[in-house]
Amino acid sequence: MTSAYPLSWPPGFPRAKSREDGRFKTSLPAALKNVEGSLKLFGSDSRKPVSDIVLSSNVALGVARPSDPGVAAWFTWDGEQICIPVDRYATVEANLQAIHHVIEARRVELRHGTLALVRATMQGFKALPAPPGESWREVFGFQPDTPITREHVEARYKRLASVNHPDTATGSDAAMARLNVARDRAISEIG
């Protein structure tokens, strides 16, 4: 099951290297409502209900402006798990509003094209389920909203590998495999 917090970013989607200010004039509650409404209308328009909606981000109680404002909208449509991830903008609400516009573009395709056309465009959003278990941040002991670079990941990996490697008295194959998976996920996410 994909989690709403912390952000579950889909494998294979690169993260933005820099972010721009969005020109959207919307609040976080309004942007959430727009995305949820667009998904409901998209399901109705396509006659293929949208279900299992999870809007994943680093927004938490007391953290409305996380350092990583990315948002991933996970849902099931036409029997497939779909993920529309956006981290182009500097705020969570702008990224949510961008997702709303992406969904609305699919609704335009339905009105002027065919369901086959929409299925073809949705292929790019097909997502593997979010990786199960711990996030790479948990494995490495990083806080969810702390900005992390590849250098941070490599340094923490090296330190933890020195005690978790199966050749050490405290290590094991399972512990090292856990570290390797976490490093791969981290590098895939942050580039």
Side-chain angles (χ1 to χ4, degrees), residues 50-167:
V50 172
S51 63
D52 306 319
I53 299 169
V54 175
L55 301 178
S56 185
S57 73
N58 288 318
V59 173
L61 189 60
V63 182
R65 299 259 180 244
S67 59
D68 178 354
V71 179
W74 296 82
F75 57 95
T76 301
W77 176 76
D78 200 21
E80 308 219 85
Q81 186 173 36
I82 305 293
C83 183
I84 301 174
V86 177
D87 68 344
R88 176 179 181 166
Y89 300 106
T91 65
V92 172
E93 54 269 27
N95 288 319
L96 276 166
Q97 194 66 10
I99 290 170
H100 160 69
H101 287 294
V102 169
I103 298 163
E104 287 300 303
R106 305 295 74 82
R107 293 185 64 220
V108 169
E109 289 173 350
L110 277 169
R111 281 193 297 276
H112 300 288
T114 64
L115 184 58
L117 173 66
V118 175
R119 282 186 176 128
T121 61
M122 289 299 253
Q123 289 299 307
F125 296 118
K126 266 207 292 196
L128 298 172
E134 299 172 296
S135 76
W136 62 266
R137 287 180 175 269
E138 288 177 75
V139 173
F140 289 120
F142 294 125
Q143 294 298 315
D145 58 341
T146 305
I148 304 296
T149 66
R150 185 179 185 138
E151 291 75 25
H152 290 120
V153 170
E154 293 295 348
R156 188 71 56 95
Y157 173 83
K158 189 179 278 189
R159 186 169 59 81
L160 292 172
S162 70
V163 295
N164 286 293
H165 194 277
D167 292 343

Side-chain angles (χ1 to χ4, degrees), residues 140 179-189:
F140 289 120
L179 278 179
N180 289 335
V181 168
R183 181 183 61 180
D184 291 347
R185 288 179 183 163
I187 289 170
S188 172
E189 182 177 316

